[in-house]
Amino acid sequence: MKASVVQRIIGMVILAALLTGCAGVEDETAFVEIDSGWTARWGDSPIDDSGDLSWLSGPVSQPGWLEADSFDVSSAATGEEFLWIRFEVPDVRWNDSPVLYLPPVMLAFEVFLDNEEIYRHRSFEPSPDLKFSSFEQHIIPLPANPTGRVISLRIYSPILPYIGLNQPARAPMVGNQTAIIRRVLSANIDSLILGGLFIAIGLFAVLIFLRRLESRPWFLLSFATLSCMVGVFYCLNDVNSGLFLDSPVFLYYTGLTAFLLFPVGMFLFIRQTVVDHWVLQRLW
């Protein structure tokens, strides 16, 4: 693994610990979870005479739109590839960095604030890159004091039923950036800390191995492999890793590689420290 990647993972753990250190005294007025109050509609918006999407105008609740408590993603009509979600920005005690936080969205989408597009993710056509969209989280800057304005999400997916917000992971949030990042990290900080600890232990074992290279302490190298692979798997398979490493392809395949190499490191460590039995040789 490149040194820069290791440094970013360790930095991710340190930043996560600092941001979540005060989670117990967090100001809940600094952000709001959007777990209700939104509406949804299947299909795509028609174009009005001025060339704008007509569904961007009007209030959130309109005829033809489903309320949050009655919406079910499995109710999509056969072949429907577009889903719209709208909600009004709630009242938050804003500071100088208001943002919209979105959990993984399947698969491509646009975000509008009233009639203005403020964010676009992926292309609205079938593409192999779309399958990695479900690993990404999004922090989208908002203008100052957006209370009362309407946020609209235009979501596209050619693969049903994989469409919409991955809400079982976490609900969308609107609020101040620092408070939202702290809230996101505090919900699952254990895997980042544990993963970073395993990586640090593994790198320390590599350092000792290099200092004692003449005596060839191969058990240290095998232990370092085991520890680093466990740590990388913990860190990169955590849903929060996408906040720091904006590369879902790298996250997916590096995490998968660490998972596959974990048994190799475990086998080498057992072989070097316990016994070199013929059964272990057969397994290898």
Side-chain angles (χ1 to χ4, degrees), residues 11-29:
M12 173 176 64
V13 175
I14 296 174
L15 179 60
L18 292 176
L19 288 174
T20 57
C22 299
V25 294
E26 182 176 67
D27 185 1
E28 295 183 356
T29 64

Side-chain angles (χ1 to χ4, degrees), residues 142-163:
L142 297 175
N145 193 20
T147 301
R149 303 181 68 176
V150 176
I151 291 179
S152 303
L153 276 66
R154 179 175 177 248
I155 304 172
Y156 164 79
S157 174
I159 309 171
L160 295 177
Y162 302 106
I163 186 171

Side-chain angles (χ1 to χ4, degrees), residues 23 30 32 52 79 91 126 139 155 168 182 186 188 198 200 204 262 280:
V32 175
D52 297 326
D91 187 17
I139 295 182
I155 304 172
R182 183 182 299 152
S186 63
N188 199 26
F198 271 109
F204 184 68
F262 160 70
L280 294 179

Side-chain angles (χ1 to χ4, degrees), residues 16 95 126 151 162 170 186 208 230 247 269:
N95 62 15
I151 291 179
Y162 302 106
R170 188 172 288 115
S186 63
I208 296 177
V230 172
S247 178
F269 179 67

Side-chain angles (χ1 to χ4, degrees), residues 5-134:
V5 175
V6 175
Q7 292 172 358
R8 295 185 71 178
I9 292 176
I10 295 176
M12 173 176 64
V13 175
I14 296 174
L15 179 60
L18 292 176
L19 288 174
T20 57
C22 299
V25 294
E26 182 176 67
D27 185 1
E28 295 183 356
T29 64
F31 67 91
V32 175
E33 292 191 4
I34 311 299
D35 51 6
S36 62
W38 51 269
T39 60
R41 183 170 182 173
W42 292 109
D44 201 9
S45 171
I47 307 296
D48 58 22
D49 295 336
S50 60
D52 297 326
L53 297 168
S54 60
W55 288 359
L56 292 175
S57 59
V60 171
S61 297
Q62 302 181 58
W65 290 76
L66 298 173
E67 300 292 337
D69 55 359
S70 61
F71 176 76
D72 184 4
V73 72
S74 62
S75 64
T78 302
E80 190 57 73
E81 296 181 342
F82 284 89
L83 171 65
W84 279 68
I85 295 176
R86 305 183 77 210
F87 59 89
E88 188 175 291
V89 178
D91 187 17
V92 177
R93 193 174 69 182
W94 304 104
N95 62 15
D96 58 352
S97 58
V99 296
L100 165 67
Y101 164 81
L102 293 176
V105 180
M106 303 175 288
L107 294 170
F109 68 97
E110 294 173 310
V111 180
F112 298 87
L113 184 63
D114 293 333
N115 294 323
E116 178 187 359
E117 180 181 325
I118 60 173
Y119 188 77
R120 183 183 179 96
H121 183 69
R122 305 290 183 183
S123 60
F124 280 51
E125 59 184 21
S127 170
D129 293 338
L130 291 178
K131 66 180 181 179
F132 296 104
S133 298
S134 58

